[in-house]
Amino acid sequence: MTDWYWGATVRVDAAAPLLSRLAVEAVGPGVHVQRADTAHVTLLYAPLHSEDGCNDIFTRVRGVAAQQPPFKLVLSGLGEFATATRIVAWLGVEEGTEELVGLRDGLCSSARDVLPYVWRPHCTLLYAEQPDVYPTVRPAIGDVLEGARIEVDVDALWIAGFPATGHAAHDLEYRLRVPLRT
């Protein structure tokens, strides 16, 4: 049985048109554009679990989500995380940071987070697994994002995951909706 990476996320369905364009225009070896129907902001990156491990995470997330009223999230601007092995291009958070930070703090106090770097709220656009290829797709990313500003009315979190043998850009699945306080 394959283990899964599970997490708590905010869906960003409004980013689908941008991701669809990127999938056509930002093409190169090792470039993985986030699938258009899975744009999200990750709030909690849990340790590997079995495929049904999303139910345990749901229980933990539900209590935190129930305390947060719905809020507006606005994403804009290009950011990049760069390591020796890959570059991640992302949309930054223009509005809603305080709510995201509060949710993350609550989630990390109730569940173990294994994010391998310091958390920064963002919506991943693509992964360049060959950093030397990134400069060849960077102009296309800039063209696609020109003036982009995405607004999301957040009324729920989602438990999402992907198999350990997969890739977050291609294999992410939303499994359980967790409503915010109504």
Side-chain angles (χ1 to χ4, degrees):
M1 176 180 255
T2 301
D3 282 339
W4 281 57
Y5 291 105
W6 289 109
T9 67
V10 172
R11 285 180 74 150
V12 184
D13 294 343
L18 287 178
L19 292 172
S20 293
R21 278 191 61 203
L22 281 174
V24 172
E25 298 183 30
V27 178
V31 174
H32 302 275
V33 175
Q34 187 70 38
R35 205 174 71 227
D37 64 336
T38 61
H40 64 279
V41 175
T42 299
L43 297 172
L44 178 76
Y45 196 76
L48 280 171
H49 285 279
S50 63
E51 187 172 354
D52 65 356
C54 63
N55 296 318
D56 176 56
I57 295 167
F58 173 83
T59 301
R60 297 168 188 270
V61 171
R62 183 175 49 196
V64 174
Q67 305 207 14
Q68 172 65 51
F71 64 98
K72 182 177 177 180
L73 177 64
V74 179
L75 301 163
S76 66
L78 174 62
E80 298 162 338
F81 296 129
T83 68
T85 58
R86 75 176 181 185
I87 297 174
V88 177
W90 45 268
L91 279 172
V93 176
E94 179 182 315
E95 185 179 327
T97 301
E98 185 176 311
E99 291 86 351
L100 294 173
V101 169
L103 285 164
R104 175 159 169 84
D105 288 349
L107 293 168
C108 287
S109 70
S110 67
R112 185 168 162 240
D113 183 82
V114 294
L115 195 64
Y117 46 83
V118 174
W119 180 77
R120 179 181 190 146
H122 68 280
C123 177
T124 298
L125 299 169
L126 66 77
Y127 303 83
E129 304 290 353
Q130 297 176 12
D132 58 324
V133 173
Y134 185 75
T136 69
V137 299
R138 177 61 174 79
I141 298 167
D143 290 346
V144 169
L145 294 184
E146 180 78 29
R149 187 171 187 269
I150 295 171
E151 295 186 16
V152 179
D153 291 321
V154 180
D155 65 355
L157 302 182
W158 285 84
I159 307 303
F162 62 96
T165 56
H167 194 289
H170 308 292
D171 302 310
L172 187 78
E173 296 179 17
Y174 293 115
R175 287 289 177 91
L176 298 169
R177 183 179 186 276
V178 187
L180 298 181
R181 183 176 78 209
T182 53

